[in-house]
Amino acid sequence: MTVSENGDERRSFRGGGAPRSGGPRRDNDGRGSRGAAGGDRRGGAGDNNRGGAGNSNRGGGFNGGQRRGGEGGFTPRVRDGDRNRQQARPDEPDLPDNVEPTELDPAVRRDLLSLDKDNANTVARHLVMAGKLVDEDPELALLHARAARQRAGRIAVVREAAGITAYHAGEWAEALSELRAARRMAGGPGLIAVMADCERGLGRPERAIELGRSDEAALLSGDEASELRIVVAGARMDLGQFDQAVVTLQTKDLDAARTGEAAARLFYAYADALVAAGRVEDGLKWFLNAAAADLEGDTDAEERVAELTGEDQ
């Protein structure tokens, strides 16, 4: 799960040097992105193999740890590093004691320097927890992201983190609102592919297509542009415009020699659109290309090949 770009640097609010991948997550059945496949492959918090926006083994889960100085008459002397742990607000989820603000990406921590030290540390720890939990427990991750937003709602990176977490929790309207706020604060295209996918989730594929035509969309390149095409193609398929979905995905990036996650996702989306348009043989070819490009097993392209060839019978 990524946050907004600043210049050429892409930042992540996940701690521990988490992988940084943009764009829509995959569904629980692992079939490409919500934007790629037909309209019914939405929802969930990411596929079981990869967790949507990154590997699920990034670490961390919520341990249910209690804040220090809790029950009883004795309260230990408060150190600077512990003060913010005892000032949680009633509506905030607990922060495990072993979660430190230093786990947050340094670039994101720098954005928090306008806050007082204790509040900045608490915001950072909530963002760390949101990043750790977003794959396995997106609802709890969202509570942490909301807590960070309540404390630091005027910081763009916090609003974007809240938006991305809401997206993974399936709260499309909230996600869209937060991402729009982040874009107003920070400028630039932001995570426009995620915003477009939220429009799809809200049943507004036409708006997703409009975002794909926007001036901001024209600023995207590489994998980010490819992700947006995948979402727009999915919106076309939502509307039954299968031939248009195929055309949307026909770019120079459709190079069967490419490998890796981004290539596999694009090939998969293209194959899916081809099959939906009745071009089954062409679709089979690109599912095979997707399977060959998918070095980490992020999609179920091999299963789709088996379905189309009857080998799964």
Side-chain angles (χ1 to χ4, degrees):
M1 176 164 27
T2 55
V3 296
S4 61
E5 294 181 21
N6 182 6
D8 293 328
E9 180 181 29
R10 176 170 289 281
R11 301 169 298 176
S12 171
F13 72 80
R14 293 181 189 250
R20 299 165 186 180
S21 64
R25 68 184 180 279
R26 277 166 297 281
D27 297 325
N28 288 331
D29 65 3
R31 294 189 175 186
S33 75
R34 273 193 54 240
D40 293 335
R41 292 176 188 167
R42 298 185 182 142
D47 70 67
N48 294 329
N49 294 328
R50 196 176 173 282
N55 294 331
S56 59
N57 62 357
R58 268 188 300 274
F62 178 73
N63 296 319
Q66 299 298 315
R67 295 185 300 278
R68 296 174 183 168
E71 298 178 359
F74 173 71
T75 301
R77 182 177 180 179
V78 177
R79 300 174 297 180
D80 287 343
D82 294 336
R83 185 178 293 112
N84 62 302
R85 293 184 172 97
Q86 296 188 22
Q87 295 177 340
R89 299 173 183 178
D91 56 344
E92 293 181 351
D94 284 345
L95 287 165
D97 290 334
N98 62 352
V99 174
E100 297 294 339
T102 53
E103 297 179 60
L104 191 65
D105 187 300
V108 180
R109 289 185 66 199
R110 286 195 292 270
D111 283 356
L112 305 181
L113 290 177
S114 62
L115 305 174
D116 70 74
K117 181 179 178 181
D118 289 342
N119 193 35
N121 285 342
T122 302
V123 170
R125 294 173 70 225
H126 278 300
L127 291 179
V128 169
M129 286 304 299
K132 289 182 175 182
L133 290 166
V134 69
D135 297 332
E136 63 189 65
D137 192 343
E139 287 76 20
L140 181 54
L142 182 55
L143 294 180
H144 282 285
R146 286 170 175 167
R149 180 198 61 204
Q150 289 170 0
R151 288 175 171 269
R154 295 184 178 181
I155 297 178
V157 71
V158 174
R159 298 298 291 270
E160 190 158 303
I164 299 169
T165 310
Y167 170 76
H168 279 261
E171 297 291 342
W172 317 122
E174 180 178 354
L176 195 56
S177 175
E178 295 297 330
L179 292 174
R180 283 173 174 166
R183 285 179 63 191
R184 287 194 298 270
M185 295 174 182
L191 294 178
I192 192 170
V194 181
M195 295 175 65
D197 211 21
C198 288
E199 294 287 10
R200 287 189 65 207
L202 290 168
R204 302 189 300 229
E206 297 90 349
R207 294 192 183 182
I209 295 170
E210 289 176 7
L211 280 173
R213 295 170 174 164
S214 66
D215 293 339
E216 293 89 345
L219 299 175
L220 300 179
S221 61
D223 291 346
E224 290 182 328
S226 180
E227 285 291 343
L228 181 57
R229 290 190 197 100
I230 289 172
V231 177
V232 172
R236 292 288 189 188
M237 293 176 72
D238 291 344
L239 296 170
Q241 299 172 357
F242 305 121
D243 290 331
Q244 292 95 321
V246 170
V247 172
T248 298
L249 295 166
Q250 288 176 338
T251 72
K252 63 181 181 180
D253 294 327
L254 281 175
D255 179 357
R258 295 177 61 209
T259 59
E261 179 195 0
R265 284 167 57 72
L266 178 61
F267 298 169
Y268 188 106
Y270 188 51
D272 210 25
L274 286 166
V275 171
R279 298 169 57 182
V280 177
E281 289 300 319
D282 290 336
L284 176 59
K285 170 187 172 182
W286 281 98
F287 275 128
L288 288 168
N289 290 338
D294 190 0
L295 304 179
E296 301 296 329
D298 292 317
T299 72
D300 68 344
E302 292 184 353
E303 295 177 21
R304 296 297 301 279
V305 169
E307 290 176 5
L308 291 172
T309 60
E311 293 179 2
D312 63 338
Q313 300 299 320

